[in-house]
Amino acid sequence: MVATILVLFMTIPGLALFYGGMVRKKNVLATMMASFASCCLIALIWVIFGYSFAFTPNNGFIGSTDRLFLHGLDLFSEEGKLTIYPGASSIPKSVFMLFQMAFAIIAGAIITGSFAERMKFSALLAFVGLWSALIYVPTAHWVWGLDGWLASDGVLDYAGGK
């Protein structure tokens, strides 16, 4: 949980203040709000379908719908351990989901800095939401999912927090 909180602090307030300090005075609030709003949007995407498609087995390209809206995600399994990801067998499922959500959030929020003073707020949210759903979630499944095609080819990525 502490690691999850530290990763979230990189987004709010970390990236928000960093990007806010790089723009003109009239755009500081909008730039900071872009980081916060992308945090909220990606958290919703992750809870509704992102976690399910990223971390449940189905095929090498995308996960299943078993955990839509976090259905069946208990605090602990029968053994009191995480069962969905064998590489983290001592972590509760809910903590694993929050930790992975924090990385989905920071990955999407980093993009907002490139749009500062260049894009309408609504277009930024649409882009970040689509990027998270169509790029981040499948890629997370490929690399960190139980049956991801890159993971099965031996790809290891510890920069993503594993």
Side-chain angles (χ1 to χ4, degrees), residues 1 75-77 80-85 87-97 99:
M1 289 302 293
L75 181 60
F76 293 102
S77 65
K81 306 293 183 194
L82 174 72
T83 57
I84 197 165
Y85 192 77
S89 60
S90 64
I91 300 173
K93 294 178 187 180
S94 57
V95 174
F96 181 77
M97 185 279 301
F99 185 67

Side-chain angles (χ1 to χ4, degrees), residues 53-57 84-85 138-149 151-152 162:
F53 287 149
F55 289 101
T56 56
I84 197 165
Y85 192 77
T139 306
H141 181 76
W142 298 347
V143 178
W144 300 305
L146 295 175
D147 57 351
W149 69 275
S152 62
K162 297 281 186 210

Side-chain angles (χ1 to χ4, degrees), residues 13-29:
L15 279 179
L17 291 170
F18 178 65
Y19 291 154
M22 295 185 352
V23 297
R24 292 177 289 174
K25 187 173 17 174
K26 70 177 189 170
N27 294 320
V28 170
L29 185 59

Side-chain angles (χ1 to χ4, degrees), residues 48-110:
I48 293 169
F49 64 88
Y51 177 74
S52 183
F53 287 149
F55 289 101
T56 56
N58 184 29
N59 62 47
F61 295 100
I62 197 73
S64 70
T65 59
D66 293 345
R67 297 277 186 259
L68 289 179
F69 291 95
L70 303 181
H71 174 74
L73 185 74
D74 299 327
L75 181 60
F76 293 102
S77 65
E78 301 79 44
E79 306 86 32
K81 306 293 183 194
L82 174 72
T83 57
I84 197 165
Y85 192 77
S89 60
S90 64
I91 300 173
K93 294 178 187 180
S94 57
V95 174
F96 181 77
M97 185 279 301
L98 287 173
F99 185 67
Q100 293 301 325
M101 181 178 72
F103 281 99
I105 287 170
I106 192 72
I110 285 173

